[in-house]
Amino acid sequence: MRIQRNLHMIMLNHSKASCILIIFITLLLSVSATKIMAQQVQRNDFILSGKIATTEIASLEINLFNAEAKLIRTEFPNQQGEFRFDALSKGAYYFKIRRGQSDLYNSEVIQVTDHDIGLPEIRINEQRLETVVINKSRPFIERHDGKMILNVESSLQNTGGSVLEILGKAPGVTIDGNDNVILRGKNNILIQIDGKNSPLTGDELANYLRGLPASAIDKIELITNPSAKYDAAGTAIINIKLKKGTNKGTNGSFSTALGAGRYVKNNNSFNINHRNNKLNLFANYNFAYRKAFNELMIDRKFYTEGNLEKTYLQDNFFKFNTRNHNGKIGFDYNLTEKNLLGASVSFTSNVFKPRGDSKTAILGPNDQPLSHTVTLSQTANTLKNISANLNHKYSMDTLGSELSTDIDFIRYVNTSNQSFDTKTNNNEDEPIGIPYILRGKTDGGLNIYALKSDWIKIFPKNLKLEAGFKTSYVKSDNDIEFYNHSTSPAVRDTNKSNHYIYQEHIYAAYGNVSKKWNKLKTVLGLRIEKTDVTGTQLTTAQINKRQYTQLFPSAVFSYEFTTDHNLEVNLSRRINRPNYQQLNPFKYYINATTYRVGNPDLNAQTSQNYELTYSFKSRYIATLSYSKISNNITTVIKPVIENGENITVQTEENLKSASYYSLNLILPIKPTNWWDINNSANFYYGSYTGNVSGTQINNIGNFTLDMNSLHTLKLGKNFVAELAANYKATEVYAFVRIDPYWYLNIGLQKKFRDKNTLKLALSDLFNSNTIKGVTVYNDYKENFKSRREPRVVMLSYSYNFGSTKTGQSRKTGAADDLKRRAE
């Protein structure tokens, strides 16, 4: 114990020393930057001009970017092909010449040091251009600025699917049997929609993602080690970016998909955008109807001091349908050349209606039949959400320095009606007692208020400072009433009814300093967050309060050996607060012997994260990572005894610690001009220590792997075929072991005149995507098998219309880290 205590103190002192060192370096660079700013006088009288030699000048545009890849300005050449960028600041720039949505020419980096720089004549090969226009497409997997980016439309396996299904197919991502999202073996992932944290979690988040069609998604960003600029919540971030028009003029798209497995599915999406020099108007609407099922077979054995007491053999069949409407409307308006004002309003309406048929056979110590129960359940969940955002951006110079502010208000309303009818018969099929009829109703509300402001100052010589603050207030109010209708009149069940109010204040501030030399780039950051939480259980008058302030340092060191070889080191400390549903002590019943309940005593978990990434030609990527997590929040299925009966409860517990070691590989291959292969593999080891339900585990885990291989075949005449294979090996997660499983998806696409696209996709070709596993405690063992709807075929049609002249999109939102936790 003394050795462990000494080691703990050394690690604590080391962590404090690291924080102090990063704070010192940050302050030192800030002082240096301030001196540089005071000494330098910005001049905005530099000119960059050139001439393009081609036969089709009218359809071209030139986009100018600064050294941070930020779009500065867009110009159009005159009839002679001449273009000119005036009033530039001294610094580094590059530009792209585009026709429609295709890049036709990418310049080298140009150092603007003279007041009038004229470029040599740019010649464009027209025939080569036509080839580029037809064949150019985004790869399925990219990596930029520490993010792995999945371009959803670049993979046919996503046709007609939902966002939850897309995530389940993403490299390194797993959707477990309880619909939790796991990235590279780590759970408690922060889900963002357009950079805004989703407050939904658990079943509500899963239902929302099921109802969001793939056709509404532009890309998905996997951020495994976020910097101090991001909210400190979550072991990692998955940001789902919805489609938003960036082209000038009026443009948009429409798509619809129809498919079936055992049941029918339909997805539809529409978005429209109008942009001119002053105003950008945008709107989108998505509707999804999905009907599906889940078969869950469970063998539960309860022991007393090693002796078998009872066995529950359960056959559960759940059928559910989802109707999801969501949309967004907004505008961006240039008040002046430097001031941009924006606003948006979005809504969601999700109706989820599962029906369950659960049969349980109860056996004695010698496997002799004792009784059997049948539970018929019906639930109607309705989730409605409206959110409003007001934002402003002030551009301080043409280098990209800016000050931006966001104000958000988000309102969620959730109602749920639950019905459970349970009948119990003895071994002779004679009724035991009267049928148990339980009815429940939940009324829930969640309000989120958030304000944030970010300041970015870019200096010459590749120096950038970032600073900002954020404050948020969340209030969740959930009232659930259960009544026993077995007798007349119905009686309120005080053991199941509850009223819970959760309030949370978070105050945060951060600072980042980045500097780029010839080959080396560093980013040092520090974030501080103060959290004030109050949970009130009105039914029992129990109040839980927590207050804590923590520091979250981050550092990135990137070295470019050559243009092809790059090495990056990424360090960070992060926190994961329990979400509102995890803290909510309501009981959600599945059948007579199983329910889910929140844990108001959960503590936040913290993690130290280290990553080393090597990339070759920005295509071949290897990432070695290690994370150490304290108070790991873990979903568990554990046995309890209620009223003398054996019950199984799904809840969350804090394990003492968890460690993750991971090697992630991205290996694209191009055997021929018509065959592209995107391979990814994640090798990782998870180790867990803690005590749940009287069972102690110490460094329990295993080495496992997750492999994806995506093959794209260009068949000619605008036909593209795709084959996607996935394999997940055996994984031990704390008290659970999941057996290996695999699946194969295929797809076919045909494009018509670049505006119409027809896609056909078949998922789980061999009906092999079945989850099996075992959960083990000292006095409990559960074998389970879960099978969802296999071999779903989807036919999708999409149409793009309008202008193709490119403009610039914006990222807004102050409530990014909060929205995930409500879902």
Side-chain angles (χ1 to χ4, degrees), residues 343-413:
S344 64
V345 176
S346 60
F347 73 91
T348 297
S349 175
N350 189 319
V351 178
F352 180 64
K353 293 184 176 181
R355 299 169 63 94
D357 183 356
S358 299
K359 301 179 177 64
T360 302
I362 301 176
L363 310 180
N366 299 317
D367 288 339
Q368 73 274 22
L370 299 178
S371 62
H372 60 272
T373 65
V374 176
T375 298
L376 300 179
S377 62
Q378 296 186 52
T379 304
N381 294 323
T382 301
L383 173 68
K384 294 183 178 180
N385 152 248
I386 186 166
S387 60
N389 169 264
L390 179 65
N391 58 84
H392 173 262
K393 184 180 75 172
Y394 171 67
S395 299
M396 294 183 285
D397 55 45
T398 57
L399 290 177
S401 301
E402 65 181 39
L403 176 66
S404 61
T405 302
D406 280 88
I407 302 174
D408 281 276
F409 169 71
I410 304 167
R411 169 67 175 167
Y412 285 88
V413 177

Side-chain angles (χ1 to χ4, degrees), residues 498-501 534-546 585 599-601:
N498 205 346
H499 191 178
Y500 184 73
I501 297 176
T534 301
T536 304
Q537 197 168 335
L538 296 181
T539 307
T540 60
Q542 179 183 353
I543 299 177
N544 292 316
K545 288 189 175 183
R546 292 186 179 88
N599 179 3
D601 295 321

